[in-house]
Amino acid sequence: MTDLSQAALPDANGYFGPYGGQLVPPHLKQAMDDIAKAYDEIVTRQDFQDELAALFADYVGRPSPIFHAKRLSDQIGGAQIHLKREDLNHTGAHKINHCLGEALLAKFMNKTKVIAETGAGQHGVALATACALVGIPCEIHMGQVDIEKEHPNVTKMRILGCKLVPVTFGAATLKEAVDSAFEEYLKDPTNYLYAIGSVVGPHPFPKMVRDFQSIIGKEAREQFQQVHGQLPDQVVACVGGGSNAMGIFTAFLNDRGVRLVGVEPAGEGLDKPGRHAATLTQGKPGEIHGMACYVLNNAAGEPDAVHSIASGLDYPGVGPQHSYLKDVGRVDYDSVNDQECLDAFMTLSRVEGIIPALESAHAVAWAMREAKKLPQDTHILVNLSGRGDKDADYVAKVLGI
Ligand SMILES: Cc1ncc(COP(=O)(O)O)c(C=O)c1O
């Protein structure tokens, strides 16, 4: 059986099977190799591991708990739904896990500026926070559409002292924010660090971001075993670029009895090209943003327009490791549409008193759909990747609450 563990993948060149790599021009390849070398060095240092562990505990508030959503499970009448509470982290989502790592790496490499894109604003807020803590200037590129939708996070980024760059070209959402941030990074790759916000981009980012996020699954595996004396039957997470999903899946990849499910945004329907972002469900192998992975392309072979009610899932590519895990059949990828997401957002809020991020509500919606079909002694663990404060005004407006 293929070893899918963290140590086994990617290979030395950053490949997960045929996916990943460094599909960048030669001068950028050097910059990526420098980052890979610095990362390999820093992770073996005990002082770095101690500093990160202390920040996870005292700054982020880790370990995040697992909550048994009993009232929700009872209401559905099937499997038990459990929530890994990444929404309780400082800054409200899983993104802080890799942002702290990336900010410490930037300091170690003496970088003068950290640049990134953001969709829902969670990566932007988390990176601005980590840069404030470490004392490095931070610049966040964000689509104008998302700036208007995710206003609370925009205000927070400004308060935290980062430079916010509105991106107005194209669809003015996540893909354009990545293009814009990359352009700024190209001005001085030696002194800048592009702190990518998910398990995407050229090597070493898919590996590095996964490694920083793998704390989620490490904790969850131990916590679940301690309380229930077994592993969960299914582990579910939403997939935009794929960082929260890789974060929780990594610890379970070699536990073949645990079903792993990644939930993509079906937006307004999988039958409407340009109105969903279900890359693994509907896309094909291709290239985007310096990596080989599944991509949603249009007829001209360009990345297609994408849509999701959740800004953080609105991306026409996906992490190379997810692309590989789909092909080898270790992870099932399914989708949830905007309406199902909204229903789950409201149900979790009203039945459990937990307002989820719209991104995370995709995973909750899938678990609610699946739980109905399963006996009561089965356990579904959902990665609740973030909280919905950023989405509250938007949802209230859409639903007329
Ligand atoms: C709360 C939350 N969950 C999930 C995502 C999607 O990203 P990823 O697939 O990398 O976890 C985002 C992105 O902004 C997010 O804010």
PDB file of all heavy atoms in Angstrom, residues 92-95 119-123 197-199 238-245 311-313 357 359-360 385-387 390, ligand 1:
ATOM      1  N   GLY A  92      -9.787  33.817  14.589  1.00  0.00           N
ATOM      2  CA  GLY A  92     -11.043  33.228  14.132  1.00  0.00           C
ATOM      3  C   GLY A  92     -11.005  32.154  13.074  1.00  0.00           C
ATOM      4  O   GLY A  92     -12.061  31.802  12.541  1.00  0.00           O
ATOM      5  N   ALA A  93      -9.845  31.637  12.748  1.00  0.00           N
ATOM      6  CA  ALA A  93      -9.797  30.566  11.748  1.00  0.00           C
ATOM      7  C   ALA A  93      -8.463  29.820  11.839  1.00  0.00           C
ATOM      8  O   ALA A  93      -7.562  30.205  12.595  1.00  0.00           O
ATOM      9  CB  ALA A  93      -9.982  31.129  10.342  1.00  0.00           C
ATOM     10  N   HIS A  94      -8.364  28.773  11.014  1.00  0.00           N
ATOM     11  CA  HIS A  94      -7.146  27.954  10.981  1.00  0.00           C
ATOM     12  C   HIS A  94      -5.958  28.702  10.390  1.00  0.00           C
ATOM     13  O   HIS A  94      -4.814  28.325  10.599  1.00  0.00           O
ATOM     14  CB  HIS A  94      -7.398  26.691  10.157  1.00  0.00           C
ATOM     15  CG  HIS A  94      -7.621  26.954   8.706  1.00  0.00           C
ATOM     16  ND1 HIS A  94      -8.721  27.654   8.227  1.00  0.00           N
ATOM     17  CD2 HIS A  94      -6.879  26.658   7.607  1.00  0.00           C
ATOM     18  CE1 HIS A  94      -8.635  27.756   6.910  1.00  0.00           C
ATOM     19  NE2 HIS A  94      -7.533  27.156   6.504  1.00  0.00           N
ATOM     20  N   LYS A  95      -6.212  29.783   9.647  1.00  0.00           N
ATOM     21  CA  LYS A  95      -5.132  30.437   8.884  1.00  0.00           C
ATOM     22  C   LYS A  95      -3.956  30.880   9.775  1.00  0.00           C
ATOM     23  O   LYS A  95      -2.817  30.913   9.325  1.00  0.00           O
ATOM     24  CB  LYS A  95      -5.676  31.642   8.111  1.00  0.00           C
ATOM     25  CG  LYS A  95      -6.755  31.301   7.083  1.00  0.00           C
ATOM     26  CD  LYS A  95      -6.202  30.740   5.799  1.00  0.00           C
ATOM     27  CE  LYS A  95      -7.297  30.417   4.803  1.00  0.00           C
ATOM     28  NZ  LYS A  95      -6.842  29.709   3.600  1.00  0.00           N
ATOM     29  N   GLY A 119      -8.854  36.076   0.306  1.00  0.00           N
ATOM     30  CA  GLY A 119     -10.186  35.986  -0.292  1.00  0.00           C
ATOM     31  C   GLY A 119     -11.212  36.463   0.722  1.00  0.00           C
ATOM     32  O   GLY A 119     -11.721  37.589   0.662  1.00  0.00           O
ATOM     33  N   ALA A 120     -11.466  35.615   1.713  1.00  0.00           N
ATOM     34  CA  ALA A 120     -12.430  35.975   2.759  1.00  0.00           C
ATOM     35  C   ALA A 120     -11.839  36.977   3.748  1.00  0.00           C
ATOM     36  O   ALA A 120     -12.546  37.498   4.606  1.00  0.00           O
ATOM     37  CB  ALA A 120     -12.866  34.717   3.492  1.00  0.00           C
ATOM     38  N   GLY A 121     -10.539  37.207   3.656  1.00  0.00           N
ATOM     39  CA  GLY A 121      -9.892  38.135   4.588  1.00  0.00           C
ATOM     40  C   GLY A 121      -9.311  37.426   5.800  1.00  0.00           C
ATOM     41  O   GLY A 121      -8.613  38.042   6.606  1.00  0.00           O
ATOM     42  N   GLN A 122      -9.566  36.111   5.929  1.00  0.00           N
ATOM     43  CA  GLN A 122      -9.055  35.398   7.116  1.00  0.00           C
ATOM     44  C   GLN A 122      -7.535  35.242   7.053  1.00  0.00           C
ATOM     45  O   GLN A 122      -6.856  35.431   8.055  1.00  0.00           O
ATOM     46  CB  GLN A 122      -9.712  34.019   7.245  1.00  0.00           C
ATOM     47  CG  GLN A 122     -11.126  34.062   7.741  1.00  0.00           C
ATOM     48  CD  GLN A 122     -11.286  34.756   9.079  1.00  0.00           C
ATOM     49  OE1 GLN A 122     -12.156  35.607   9.222  1.00  0.00           O
ATOM     50  NE2 GLN A 122     -10.476  34.436  10.051  1.00  0.00           N
ATOM     51  N   HIS A 123      -7.036  34.891   5.866  1.00  0.00           N
ATOM     52  CA  HIS A 123      -5.578  34.781   5.731  1.00  0.00           C
ATOM     53  C   HIS A 123      -4.943  36.162   5.899  1.00  0.00           C
ATOM     54  O   HIS A 123      -3.897  36.294   6.539  1.00  0.00           O
ATOM     55  CB  HIS A 123      -5.215  34.178   4.366  1.00  0.00           C
ATOM     56  CG  HIS A 123      -3.733  34.123   4.110  1.00  0.00           C
ATOM     57  ND1 HIS A 123      -2.874  33.373   4.876  1.00  0.00           N
ATOM     58  CD2 HIS A 123      -2.960  34.752   3.188  1.00  0.00           C
ATOM     59  CE1 HIS A 123      -1.638  33.528   4.430  1.00  0.00           C
ATOM     60  NE2 HIS A 123      -1.657  34.365   3.415  1.00  0.00           N
ATOM     61  N   GLY A 197      -1.459  31.781   1.020  1.00  0.00           N
ATOM     62  CA  GLY A 197      -2.485  31.549   2.044  1.00  0.00           C
ATOM     63  C   GLY A 197      -3.110  30.182   2.043  1.00  0.00           C
ATOM     64  O   GLY A 197      -4.101  29.954   2.740  1.00  0.00           O
ATOM     65  N   SER A 198      -2.564  29.244   1.274  1.00  0.00           N
ATOM     66  CA  SER A 198      -3.134  27.903   1.288  1.00  0.00           C
ATOM     67  C   SER A 198      -2.066  26.912   0.809  1.00  0.00           C
ATOM     68  O   SER A 198      -0.906  27.308   0.587  1.00  0.00           O
ATOM     69  CB  SER A 198      -4.368  27.845   0.384  1.00  0.00           C
ATOM     70  OG  SER A 198      -5.031  26.605   0.572  1.00  0.00           O
ATOM     71  N   VAL A 199      -2.464  25.661   0.620  1.00  0.00           N
ATOM     72  CA  VAL A 199      -1.498  24.639   0.195  1.00  0.00           C
ATOM     73  C   VAL A 199      -1.368  24.657  -1.328  1.00  0.00           C
ATOM     74  O   VAL A 199      -1.508  23.638  -1.992  1.00  0.00           O
ATOM     75  CB  VAL A 199      -1.915  23.233   0.698  1.00  0.00           C
ATOM     76  CG1 VAL A 199      -1.661  23.092   2.177  1.00  0.00           C
ATOM     77  CG2 VAL A 199      -3.391  22.942   0.384  1.00  0.00           C
ATOM     78  N   CYS A 238     -13.947  21.574   4.299  1.00  0.00           N
ATOM     79  CA  CYS A 238     -14.172  22.291   3.045  1.00  0.00           C
ATOM     80  C   CYS A 238     -12.831  22.463   2.320  1.00  0.00           C
ATOM     81  O   CYS A 238     -11.767  22.444   2.951  1.00  0.00           O
ATOM     82  CB  CYS A 238     -14.815  23.658   3.308  1.00  0.00           C
ATOM     83  SG  CYS A 238     -13.773  24.819   4.200  1.00  0.00           S
ATOM     84  N   VAL A 239     -12.904  22.620   1.002  1.00  0.00           N
ATOM     85  CA  VAL A 239     -11.682  22.778   0.200  1.00  0.00           C
ATOM     86  C   VAL A 239     -11.798  23.997  -0.704  1.00  0.00           C
ATOM     87  O   VAL A 239     -12.649  24.057  -1.596  1.00  0.00           O
ATOM     88  CB  VAL A 239     -11.427  21.528  -0.682  1.00  0.00           C
ATOM     89  CG1 VAL A 239     -10.185  21.740  -1.559  1.00  0.00           C
ATOM     90  CG2 VAL A 239     -11.262  20.289   0.174  1.00  0.00           C
ATOM     91  N   GLY A 240     -10.939  25.006  -0.414  1.00  0.00           N
ATOM     92  CA  GLY A 240     -10.766  26.120  -1.334  1.00  0.00           C
ATOM     93  C   GLY A 240      -9.453  25.817  -2.042  1.00  0.00           C
ATOM     94  O   GLY A 240      -9.384  25.089  -3.026  1.00  0.00           O
ATOM     95  N   GLY A 241      -8.341  26.354  -1.490  1.00  0.00           N
ATOM     96  CA  GLY A 241      -7.015  25.887  -1.908  1.00  0.00           C
ATOM     97  C   GLY A 241      -6.725  24.542  -1.260  1.00  0.00           C
ATOM     98  O   GLY A 241      -6.034  23.703  -1.809  1.00  0.00           O
ATOM     99  N   GLY A 242      -7.251  24.379  -0.039  1.00  0.00           N
ATOM    100  CA  GLY A 242      -7.147  23.071   0.612  1.00  0.00           C
ATOM    101  C   GLY A 242      -6.338  23.014   1.895  1.00  0.00           C
ATOM    102  O   GLY A 242      -6.000  21.920   2.345  1.00  0.00           O
ATOM    103  N   SER A 243      -6.052  24.179   2.549  1.00  0.00           N
ATOM    104  CA  SER A 243      -5.146  24.118   3.705  1.00  0.00           C
ATOM    105  C   SER A 243      -5.786  23.547   4.961  1.00  0.00           C
ATOM    106  O   SER A 243      -5.159  22.770   5.686  1.00  0.00           O
ATOM    107  CB  SER A 243      -4.534  25.483   3.996  1.00  0.00           C
ATOM    108  OG  SER A 243      -5.496  26.425   4.395  1.00  0.00           O
ATOM    109  N   ASN A 244      -7.058  23.910   5.245  1.00  0.00           N
ATOM    110  CA  ASN A 244      -7.644  23.352   6.475  1.00  0.00           C
ATOM    111  C   ASN A 244      -7.896  21.862   6.290  1.00  0.00           C
ATOM    112  O   ASN A 244      -7.765  21.079   7.231  1.00  0.00           O
ATOM    113  CB  ASN A 244      -8.881  24.141   6.911  1.00  0.00           C
ATOM    114  CG  ASN A 244     -10.174  23.690   6.252  1.00  0.00           C
ATOM    115  OD1 ASN A 244     -10.863  22.827   6.762  1.00  0.00           O
ATOM    116  ND2 ASN A 244     -10.504  24.253   5.091  1.00  0.00           N
ATOM    117  N   ALA A 245      -8.242  21.468   5.055  1.00  0.00           N
ATOM    118  CA  ALA A 245      -8.481  20.045   4.793  1.00  0.00           C
ATOM    119  C   ALA A 245      -7.184  19.246   4.933  1.00  0.00           C
ATOM    120  O   ALA A 245      -7.146  18.224   5.620  1.00  0.00           O
ATOM    121  CB  ALA A 245      -9.086  19.865   3.405  1.00  0.00           C
ATOM    122  N   SER A 311     -16.227  33.484  -0.027  1.00  0.00           N
ATOM    123  CA  SER A 311     -15.101  34.094  -0.765  1.00  0.00           C
ATOM    124  C   SER A 311     -13.824  33.273  -0.671  1.00  0.00           C
ATOM    125  O   SER A 311     -13.007  33.274  -1.586  1.00  0.00           O
ATOM    126  CB  SER A 311     -14.811  35.486  -0.217  1.00  0.00           C
ATOM    127  OG  SER A 311     -15.948  36.287  -0.306  1.00  0.00           O
ATOM    128  N   GLY A 312     -13.622  32.575   0.441  1.00  0.00           N
ATOM    129  CA  GLY A 312     -12.389  31.808   0.637  1.00  0.00           C
ATOM    130  C   GLY A 312     -12.351  30.511  -0.159  1.00  0.00           C
ATOM    131  O   GLY A 312     -11.341  29.815  -0.158  1.00  0.00           O
ATOM    132  N   LEU A 313     -13.450  30.162  -0.826  1.00  0.00           N
ATOM    133  CA  LEU A 313     -13.481  28.915  -1.621  1.00  0.00           C
ATOM    134  C   LEU A 313     -13.490  29.190  -3.118  1.00  0.00           C
ATOM    135  O   LEU A 313     -13.548  28.275  -3.934  1.00  0.00           O
ATOM    136  CB  LEU A 313     -14.728  28.085  -1.251  1.00  0.00           C
ATOM    137  CG  LEU A 313     -14.892  27.694   0.217  1.00  0.00           C
ATOM    138  CD1 LEU A 313     -16.135  26.824   0.411  1.00  0.00           C
ATOM    139  CD2 LEU A 313     -13.659  26.949   0.744  1.00  0.00           C
ATOM    140  N   ALA A 357     -18.065  30.132   9.733  1.00  0.00           N
ATOM    141  CA  ALA A 357     -17.704  30.841   8.503  1.00  0.00           C
ATOM    142  C   ALA A 357     -18.461  30.189   7.350  1.00  0.00           C
ATOM    143  O   ALA A 357     -18.750  28.983   7.397  1.00  0.00           O
ATOM    144  CB  ALA A 357     -16.194  30.718   8.255  1.00  0.00           C
ATOM    145  N   GLU A 359     -17.332  29.365   4.573  1.00  0.00           N
ATOM    146  CA  GLU A 359     -16.480  28.308   4.039  1.00  0.00           C
ATOM    147  C   GLU A 359     -16.739  27.015   4.830  1.00  0.00           C
ATOM    148  O   GLU A 359     -17.041  25.965   4.269  1.00  0.00           O
ATOM    149  CB  GLU A 359     -14.992  28.698   4.152  1.00  0.00           C
ATOM    150  CG  GLU A 359     -14.547  29.839   3.242  1.00  0.00           C
ATOM    151  CD  GLU A 359     -14.985  31.220   3.740  1.00  0.00           C
ATOM    152  OE1 GLU A 359     -15.397  31.328   4.928  1.00  0.00           O
ATOM    153  OE2 GLU A 359     -14.907  32.185   2.963  1.00  0.00           O
ATOM    154  N   SER A 360     -16.610  27.127   6.154  1.00  0.00           N
ATOM    155  CA  SER A 360     -16.777  25.955   7.026  1.00  0.00           C
ATOM    156  C   SER A 360     -18.191  25.386   6.934  1.00  0.00           C
ATOM    157  O   SER A 360     -18.389  24.171   7.102  1.00  0.00           O
ATOM    158  CB  SER A 360     -16.492  26.339   8.482  1.00  0.00           C
ATOM    159  OG  SER A 360     -15.461  27.296   8.573  1.00  0.00           O
ATOM    160  N   SER A 385     -13.454  25.222  10.237  1.00  0.00           N
ATOM    161  CA  SER A 385     -12.225  25.970   9.963  1.00  0.00           C
ATOM    162  C   SER A 385     -12.247  27.421  10.440  1.00  0.00           C
ATOM    163  O   SER A 385     -11.194  28.003  10.666  1.00  0.00           O
ATOM    164  CB  SER A 385     -11.909  25.919   8.466  1.00  0.00           C
ATOM    165  OG  SER A 385     -13.016  26.362   7.714  1.00  0.00           O
ATOM    166  N   GLY A 386     -13.446  28.007  10.590  1.00  0.00           N
ATOM    167  CA  GLY A 386     -13.458  29.401  11.040  1.00  0.00           C
ATOM    168  C   GLY A 386     -14.828  29.842  11.511  1.00  0.00           C
ATOM    169  O   GLY A 386     -15.835  29.166  11.310  1.00  0.00           O
ATOM    170  N   ARG A 387     -14.850  31.012  12.147  1.00  0.00           N
ATOM    171  CA  ARG A 387     -16.125  31.521  12.657  1.00  0.00           C
ATOM    172  C   ARG A 387     -16.718  32.540  11.692  1.00  0.00           C
ATOM    173  O   ARG A 387     -16.016  33.126  10.855  1.00  0.00           O
ATOM    174  CB  ARG A 387     -15.957  32.086  14.057  1.00  0.00           C
ATOM    175  CG  ARG A 387     -14.979  33.210  14.208  1.00  0.00           C
ATOM    176  CD  ARG A 387     -14.983  33.686  15.679  1.00  0.00           C
ATOM    177  NE  ARG A 387     -13.976  34.692  15.941  1.00  0.00           N
ATOM    178  CZ  ARG A 387     -12.928  34.505  16.746  1.00  0.00           C
ATOM    179  NH1 ARG A 387     -12.727  33.353  17.339  1.00  0.00           N
ATOM    180  NH2 ARG A 387     -12.074  35.491  16.954  1.00  0.00           N
ATOM    181  N   LYS A 390     -17.269  37.460  10.229  1.00  0.00           N
ATOM    182  CA  LYS A 390     -17.015  38.198   8.992  1.00  0.00           C
ATOM    183  C   LYS A 390     -18.196  38.120   8.032  1.00  0.00           C
ATOM    184  O   LYS A 390     -18.345  38.966   7.159  1.00  0.00           O
ATOM    185  CB  LYS A 390     -15.744  37.650   8.319  1.00  0.00           C
ATOM    186  CG  LYS A 390     -15.903  36.221   7.803  1.00  0.00           C
ATOM    187  CD  LYS A 390     -14.629  35.634   7.256  1.00  0.00           C
ATOM    188  CE  LYS A 390     -14.783  34.174   6.824  1.00  0.00           C
ATOM    189  NZ  LYS A 390     -15.786  33.900   5.819  1.00  0.00           N
TER     190      LYS A 390
HETATM  191  C1  LIG B   1     -12.612  29.966   7.510  1.00  0.00           C
HETATM  192  C2  LIG B   1     -12.020  29.494   6.229  1.00  0.00           C
HETATM  193  N1  LIG B   1     -12.107  28.196   5.918  1.00  0.00           N
HETATM  194  C3  LIG B   1     -11.607  27.718   4.749  1.00  0.00           C
HETATM  195  C4  LIG B   1     -10.997  28.563   3.838  1.00  0.00           C
HETATM  196  C5  LIG B   1     -10.496  27.986   2.558  1.00  0.00           C
HETATM  197  O1  LIG B   1      -9.121  27.858   2.492  1.00  0.00           O
HETATM  198  P1  LIG B   1      -8.415  26.464   2.574  1.00  0.00           P
HETATM  199  O2  LIG B   1      -9.087  25.563   1.575  1.00  0.00           O
HETATM  200  O3  LIG B   1      -7.010  26.753   2.224  1.00  0.00           O
HETATM  201  O4  LIG B   1      -8.583  25.946   3.959  1.00  0.00           O
HETATM  202  C6  LIG B   1     -10.886  29.935   4.132  1.00  0.00           C
HETATM  203  C7  LIG B   1     -10.216  30.852   3.196  1.00  0.00           C
HETATM  204  O5  LIG B   1     -10.235  32.028   3.314  1.00  0.00           O
HETATM  205  C8  LIG B   1     -11.421  30.403   5.348  1.00  0.00           C
HETATM  206  O6  LIG B   1     -11.357  31.706   5.679  1.00  0.00           O
END
